[in-house]
Amino acid sequence: MPPTVAVVGGGISGLAACYHLARGPNPPKVLLLEASARLGGWLQSTRTPDGAVFEHGPRGIRPGGAVGADTLHMVSELGLEGDILPVPGDHPASRNRFLYVGGALHKLPSGLGALLRPVPPFSRALLWSGVRDLLAPAETAPDETVHAFAQRRFGREVADVAVDSLCRGVFAGDCRALSVRSCFPALFEAERRRRSVLLGLALGSGKERGAESRLSRRARAERWSQWSLRGGIQSLPEALAAFLRPRGVELRCHAPLRRLRRHGGRWQLTLDDGTMTADHVISAIPAAALAEVLPAEAEPLARELRRIPAVSVAVVNLQYEGVTLPVTGFGHLVPSSEDTSVLGIVYDSVAFPQHDGAGAASVRLTVSGRDGGGGTVTMGTPRGDLTLPAQVMLGGAWFGQSFGDPAAAAPALLLRRAQEAVREQLGLEPMPTRCIVRVHQACIPQYTLGHWQRTERIGRFLAEQQLPLSLVGASYAGVSVNDCIASAKAAVGRLLGQPR
């Protein structure tokens, strides 16, 4: 009989692990266990009867690098090529991104002119930040915070405004606590390799491109900045599930793992309705969740897993009618010095107007402050004039101080703060015609200072104990959709003895 592999967690990491297991020449028996009622994890879309799509997690995926090419290759194999919605390099959502500083929106500088003269919100020409990086000595410490790194290489203003905002947008985190080595390894390695971040990035590292496909070639030719799917990002986990079921992969929802222990040389998994055994376990659940189910003899591993924190984010989707955005672009981020509660606002209609729905033209916005879990939905009735959807992001590392316990945060409070942010930062006064509030509890792992040492100790424990356990997902080596898929592919490759 073929060996049994149990995949714990039915988000994109767990589904991608099943996908690569099922595609092998001699696939094992694969069982996926998901605690919730649905597959896909944070990849969640709401589709309305009029054809509008609202994203409650990632709203676009970047095509760049080897991991981006691998994801596009998987999308092609899943038959989703015709559903791709690309954002090419010359699109306003690719060219225009904004910061909200000093009570005003400022376009992020681009082009030579912006480098040679001061462009708000920066008081000096960014050329001087580049010169500083070229002249500054390289650091020899094994790690430092993202803020300290950016301040040392590019100056305090770039660190306080641009890098602070970037970390809030990507990690919903505080750049003064996050590790540059783990959060931005390309920048860390560029300095180590060439003494200058800019030189290191310009000269590159010679890394591989990833799996080639017609989609990846098209993405390079058209310089895509990101892409989505016609039915929303949730279409990706749905397609993976449809691919896996006919190939004998058992996908079980409502199946939380309660205990994991070794018994007779195999894993014994305790579920609510009994136990099962497996030869190998792939954990695609958050590090802290895995720590709670490990056996007592794995306490050194559990201790390291508990040291990987995660923050919560509230995502508020709003749809407006009869309004016009003051600027056109992907959206804007808000540095913590301006407003800790609001991370940023995404102008959903600019990048993906195909998701606006039929009938009424609309503006969709997403306001988020990264956390994870429940929420409430308030639906309006679309009218026949111009409408605009938006996404507001709230909370993240500042969720507790802004809104209290994520598990008890009132959706009405989050909705009110999102509407205030849209009114203050975009000047949109009308009430939204459609609102959706989601709180994602502990949804984004935080790679704090020393994260690389924690992951090394985790890997060393697994190797020394020869545990048939693989750890994949956002807790370890990248929080993006591409990173999660790549971690699953790499783990399966090691398990099956296949080259990456």
Side-chain angles (χ1 to χ4, degrees), residues 410-467:
L413 169 65
L414 299 169
L415 176 58
R416 183 164 63 249
R417 183 66 195 99
Q419 290 177 255
E420 289 170 354
V422 170
R423 187 164 53 249
E424 294 163 1
Q425 298 173 18
L426 292 175
L428 304 185
E429 296 291 343
M431 293 293 289
T433 56
R434 182 178 274 135
C435 316
I436 308 176
V437 180
R438 291 282 186 274
V439 179
H440 302 301
Q441 296 180 45
C443 64
I444 303 185
Q446 301 293 283
Y447 302 163
T448 53
L449 206 59
H451 178 79
W452 69 277
Q453 293 167 313
R454 286 187 283 278
T455 57
E456 280 198 354
R457 288 193 293 267
I458 288 169
R460 195 157 52 241
F461 180 88
L462 293 173
E464 289 172 354
Q465 301 299 314
Q466 297 183 327
L467 285 178

Side-chain angles (χ1 to χ4, degrees), residues 159-181:
D160 287 350
V161 177
V163 174
D164 177 281
S165 301
L166 175 63
C167 286
R168 282 161 61 82
V170 175
F171 294 94
D174 185 350
C175 64
R176 294 158 185 81
L178 295 174
S179 154
V180 70
R181 178 170 181 158

Side-chain angles (χ1 to χ4, degrees), residues 115-391:
L115 296 177
L116 298 176
R117 56 184 172 79
V119 176
F122 303 104
S123 60
R124 302 179 68 202
L126 289 180
L127 173 68
W128 297 112
S129 294
V131 170
R132 179 188 178 115
D133 171 66
L134 293 172
L135 298 178
E139 179 59 72
T140 57
D143 200 1
E144 63 184 317
T145 67
V146 176
H147 186 274
F149 177 89
Q151 180 173 326
R152 181 172 55 79
R153 302 303 317 180
F154 302 107
R156 185 176 188 88
E157 194 172 51
V158 169
D160 287 350
V161 177
V163 174
D164 177 281
S165 301
L166 175 63
C167 286
R168 282 161 61 82
V170 175
F171 294 94
D174 185 350
C175 64
R176 294 158 185 81
L178 295 174
S179 154
V180 70
R181 178 170 181 158
S182 299
C183 293
F184 299 100
L187 304 186
F188 178 84
E189 291 166 8
E191 182 192 36
R192 292 300 190 273
R193 203 167 48 243
R194 301 289 183 181
R195 193 186 57 80
S196 156
V197 174
L198 296 180
L199 273 179
L201 293 176
L203 296 174
S205 61
K207 289 186 177 178
E208 61 190 63
R209 266 187 176 175
E212 279 290 295
S213 65
R214 187 166 60 181
L215 274 181
S216 64
R217 290 189 291 271
R218 181 183 164 199
R220 283 198 303 274
E222 298 176 4
R223 297 183 299 112
W224 295 0
S225 62
Q226 60 177 316
W227 56 268
S228 183
L229 295 165
R230 199 165 300 281
I233 292 295
Q234 186 173 313
S235 300
L236 180 54
E238 289 172 346
L240 281 165
F243 175 90
L244 295 169
R245 287 191 178 98
R247 287 165 175 79
V249 177
E250 185 180 349
L251 306 176
R252 291 182 57 184
C253 291
H254 303 288
L257 176 63
R258 299 304 183 187
R259 183 60 56 193
L260 187 62
R261 72 185 186 95
R262 298 287 286 159
H263 180 71
R266 305 184 81 207
W267 287 111
Q268 185 178 80
L269 295 85
T270 302
L271 311 176
D272 286 341
D273 59 355
T275 62
M276 62 162 290
T277 58
D279 299 286
H280 194 98
V281 169
I282 296 178
S283 172
I285 57 178
L290 175 60
E292 296 309 305
V293 301
L294 287 172
E297 58 268 26
E299 178 55 30
L301 172 59
R303 190 163 53 244
E304 296 295 347
L305 294 171
R306 292 190 197 101
R307 290 174 178 160
I308 302 175
V311 297
S312 299
V313 177
V315 177
V316 182
N317 303 94
L318 302 172
Q319 188 168 30
Y320 290 86
E321 295 176 355
V323 299
T324 303
L325 283 169
V327 294
T328 302
F330 177 78
H332 70 261
L333 294 171
V334 184
S336 59
S337 57
E338 187 76 23
D339 184 340
T340 55
S341 67
V342 180
L343 304 177
I345 303 178
V346 179
Y347 316 154
D348 293 322
S349 289
V350 177
F352 303 113
Q354 303 91 335
H355 287 167
D356 287 352
S362 69
V363 175
R364 291 173 299 112
L365 301 174
T366 301
V367 189
S368 40
R370 315 274 235 173
D371 200 301
T376 187
V377 182
T378 305
M379 304 300 286
T381 304
R383 296 189 300 271
D385 49 328
L386 178 65
T387 64
L388 179 144
Q391 188 185 62

